[in-house]
Amino acid sequence: MATRYINNKKMHNIQKLISGMLLFLLGQIMVWYQTNGQFISDWVKERPWLMALGGIPISYIYIYATRDLVEAFNGELWPQRLIGFAMGMIAFSALTFIHLNQGITLKTAVTLALATAIVVIQIVWK
């Protein structure tokens, strides 16, 4: 019975971890378009007020991402902050390459490797 509870709790934590990471990734993608859309679309460039309104749903996404990751890490706040940062680095590099054709330099590659290491450390290190 205790083993089942522990396994259920681990599964719950894994679900919260995945949910939080995906929500942070979604939020970071939305922020990228909100702030950098002006460089890929004149329509967006001419409507900064509309882009600013996007901050409301983005804030909700970050609130729920934070909640899920704090739950996944049993109340610890630091892991969610570092994972959110790393998700931002990943989203930024991918979208900047896709839309602005700005490749990944060696410096950026090392930074992305460090961001990946941050996520792995937060998930694996107990």
Side-chain angles (χ1 to χ4, degrees):
M1 181 86 166
T3 305
R4 178 190 283 177
Y5 173 76
I6 291 169
N7 288 339
N8 286 342
K9 187 171 180 171
K10 283 183 183 177
M11 180 57 77
H12 174 75
N13 283 357
I14 291 170
Q15 290 171 338
K16 289 294 183 174
L17 173 69
I18 292 169
S19 172
M21 288 177 72
L22 290 175
L23 285 170
F24 261 121
L25 186 60
L26 174 62
Q28 294 286 4
I29 289 169
M30 291 173 72
V31 165
W32 191 94
Y33 285 108
Q34 182 188 36
T35 58
N36 299 306
Q38 62 185 318
F39 304 119
I40 59 174
S41 166
D42 287 334
W43 188 89
V44 170
K45 187 177 191 172
E46 295 165 3
R47 293 166 180 81
W49 55 271
L50 188 58
M51 295 297 101
L53 289 176
I56 295 170
I58 291 168
S59 293
Y60 274 102
I61 289 169
Y62 283 147
I63 288 167
Y64 289 116
T66 298
R67 179 203 61 198
D68 286 354
L69 286 176
V70 169
E71 242 181 84
F73 287 96
N74 301 312
E76 292 183 41
L77 199 57
W78 272 107
Q80 69 78 30
R81 179 61 191 112
L82 297 170
I83 289 172
F85 161 75
M87 293 294 102
M89 292 295 296
I90 292 165
F92 184 89
S93 61
L95 292 170
T96 301
F97 177 74
I98 291 167
H99 291 292
L100 300 174
N101 202 26
Q102 292 183 16
I104 296 175
T105 64
L106 179 58
K107 178 174 76 172
T108 303
V110 169
T111 303
L112 291 172
L114 290 170
T116 302
I118 288 169
V119 172
V120 171
I121 288 168
Q122 289 301 315
I123 292 170
V124 176
W125 194 335
K126 300 296 175 199

